[in-house]
Amino acid sequence: MGEPSDPPEGTPEGAPRGGDDEYRSVVFDETFVRAARLQEFSAQERITDHTPAVRRLPPARRSGLSRQALVLVLLIAVAFGTAVYMGVRHPYRTPVAERPAEPLRMTVVPLAPEGAVPGSRDVDQLYAHSPAARFREGAGGVPLPPARRTANFTDDQVVSALLTARDYVVRSALDPAVVTGRETRAVRMLLDSRQQEQFDESLDRPAADGRHAVTGWLVRFDPAHVRLADPHIRVQGTLQAAEADSGTLEVTTDHTVVYALRPADAGPDTEASLFTVRRELRFRFDREDLRLHQAELIVSHVQAGPQSCALDPAPRLRPLLAGQRAPHTAPPGTDPYAPGTAGPALCGTLADAAQPRL
C-alpha cells in the first residue's frame, strides 16, 4: 500500500518512494529564496555560449546604509561646530548678581510759624498773595526737562527714568486720595520691589528713625484734623537726570508743593490757610527698573509747615491752621520757596516771606 504522499497510480517504476526521497531533507526557506537572484539567459546566449539557462546575479550594493551614516556624521559635525561658535560668541549678557536695595534715608523737618497763621475765606486770594501765586496746578506744575542720552543710556531710557520720577512726585504729593490717607497703592507700585517691604513697615509702624516715616515716602495729612479746601494743589520745581555709573541712572527732584486747608469739621465759610511742603528726592534706576517703570528712592528730604515742632511728623503731617500759633519757639527761619537753602536738622521756623501777605 502506498504512502499518503504517493500518486494514486503508485510510484513510477525506478523512482524512489516518497519516504526515501533524497531531496526531502533540503528546505528552501524564505530568506534563501529571496537571496537567490536568478536571471534567465537569452536563447542566443544559450546557443552560442552553451551556458546554463539561468545565472546568478551579483548581490546588490547596499549603498543606502552608507549614505545614512554619512548624513548622520555631517549632522553631528554641524551641531558640534554650532555649539562651539555659540560658546565663543554668546549673544546674551552674562547675568549679573542682583544687588540688594539701598534703604531709603529720609529727613522730615517741621517748620514752625513765627506768628499766627494767615487765613482767608477766599482760597484764590490766599494763593494770589503768596509766593505760590505763579505756581501751576497738579501735574501741569511738574514738566519734564529736555532729555539727553548719556554714555551708557539712550534717549528713551533717560525719558523713562524722568517719567517714572515725575509720576512718583505727582502720585505721592498731588493726588488728593493719597494726601488725605485714603490711597497708598499707587505710590507703592512705583517703588522697586526690593523697597516695598520698607514702605509697608513705614505704614504699619511709622517711626522718626530716618527710615520709617510715612511722610518721607509721601505727603499725608490727618483726615480727622484737616481737609483740602481746594483739590487743585499748586506745585513748582525741577527734575534732573544724570548717569551714576554704566548701569545706573539717577534722577533728582526738587519741588515746592502748596495746599489750601481747612479744619476737618469746618464749613466752606471757615477761613482756609496754606501749608507748604518742600521735597527733595533722589531716585536710582537700573535697567530692570526702567523696564518695569519702577524706581529706587534712596534720599528724601522734606520740610513742611506751618506746624508745631513738638509733634512727631512720622505718621502724618499736622498743620497749624488759620489763626493758630506754634506753642514753642524754633531756630532761625527757613524759606522753603528758596531753592538751595539748607534745612535744619530737627525743626525750623517758617520765614514770614513764605506766608501769604493779606
Side-chain angles (χ1 to χ4, degrees):
M1 185 174 187
E3 296 183 6
S5 58
D6 290 340
E9 301 84 4
T11 304
E13 184 178 355
R17 296 181 59 85
D20 298 328
D21 190 352
E22 61 179 314
Y23 299 107
R24 182 179 297 275
S25 61
V26 179
V27 178
F28 298 98
D29 60 13
E30 184 179 356
T31 304
F32 177 82
V33 173
R34 289 183 178 179
R37 296 172 56 83
L38 304 178
Q39 180 178 353
E40 183 178 359
F41 285 92
S42 65
Q44 183 64 36
E45 287 177 328
R46 291 199 300 273
I47 294 173
T48 59
D49 296 338
H50 304 285
T51 57
V54 295
R55 62 183 173 188
R56 183 179 299 276
L57 293 177
R61 294 181 180 179
R62 298 188 178 183
S63 60
L65 181 60
S66 300
R67 188 177 299 110
Q68 291 178 359
L70 179 61
V71 171
L72 180 60
V73 170
L74 288 176
L75 288 176
I76 293 175
V78 170
F80 180 76
T82 303
V84 172
Y85 176 80
M86 294 296 288
V88 174
R89 301 187 62 180
H90 201 287
Y92 302 104
R93 296 178 181 269
T94 302
V96 179
E98 184 180 276
R99 60 176 174 80
E102 182 177 336
L104 169 61
R105 306 186 306 275
M106 60 182 71
T107 307
V108 182
V109 180
L111 302 178
E114 294 179 336
V117 178
S120 173
R121 292 186 178 88
D122 188 343
V123 173
D124 291 335
Q125 185 180 10
L126 272 175
Y127 279 123
H129 291 83
S130 76
R134 297 182 180 275
F135 286 13
R136 299 174 68 182
E137 298 178 359
V142 193
L144 291 179
R148 297 181 179 86
R149 65 176 302 147
T150 66
N152 295 284
F153 292 90
T154 65
D155 293 339
D156 290 342
Q157 289 174 319
V158 175
V159 169
S160 178
L162 289 168
L163 281 172
T164 303
R166 177 182 182 270
D167 286 349
Y168 191 94
V169 170
V170 171
R171 294 186 189 182
S172 63
L174 303 178
D175 184 348
V178 171
V179 302
T180 56
R182 303 193 311 271
E183 167 68 31
T184 58
R185 185 176 181 275
V187 179
R188 185 181 188 274
M189 295 303 294
L190 288 173
L191 290 170
D192 187 299
S193 59
R194 296 166 295 178
Q195 277 195 317
Q196 291 177 359
E197 182 178 355
Q198 184 187 0
F199 179 83
D200 295 339
E201 290 175 354
S202 301
L203 294 179
D204 297 337
R205 297 179 297 277
D209 59 359
R211 292 288 189 272
H212 299 95
V214 177
T215 48
W217 299 97
L218 49 84
V219 175
R220 171 180 279 187
F221 300 116
D222 183 356
H225 180 64
V226 299
R227 64 179 177 86
L228 291 174
D230 183 1
H232 304 293
I233 302 166
R234 309 293 179 93
V235 60
Q236 180 174 282
T238 60
L239 296 92
Q240 294 181 335
E243 183 176 308
D245 54 51
S246 61
T248 309
L249 277 174
E250 286 191 356
V251 175
T252 303
T253 71
D254 185 353
H255 291 86
T256 299
V257 191
V258 185
Y259 306 85
L261 304 174
R262 284 192 173 97
D265 55 355
D269 294 333
T270 306
E271 285 191 337
S273 59
L274 298 184
F275 187 83
T276 304
V277 178
R278 169 83 174 276
R279 302 176 83 208
E280 298 170 82
L281 308 176
R282 183 150 57 96
F283 301 90
R284 178 178 292 163
F285 299 85
D286 56 25
R287 286 181 169 80
E288 184 70 4
D289 290 326
L290 295 174
R291 185 181 70 83
L292 297 176
H293 191 60
Q294 292 181 334
E296 186 180 340
L297 179 58
I298 57 176
V299 176
S300 171
H301 181 68
V302 180
Q303 303 172 57
Q307 58 181 334
S308 171
C309 292
L311 298 175
D312 181 7
R316 61 186 64 86
L317 302 172
R318 291 291 300 270
L320 294 172
L321 302 175
Q324 295 180 338
R325 296 174 178 269
H328 303 286
T329 14
T334 299
D335 184 356
Y337 292 90
T341 56
L346 297 176
C347 187
T349 300
L350 186 63
D352 285 339
Q355 298 277 36
R357 298 186 178 184
L358 302 175

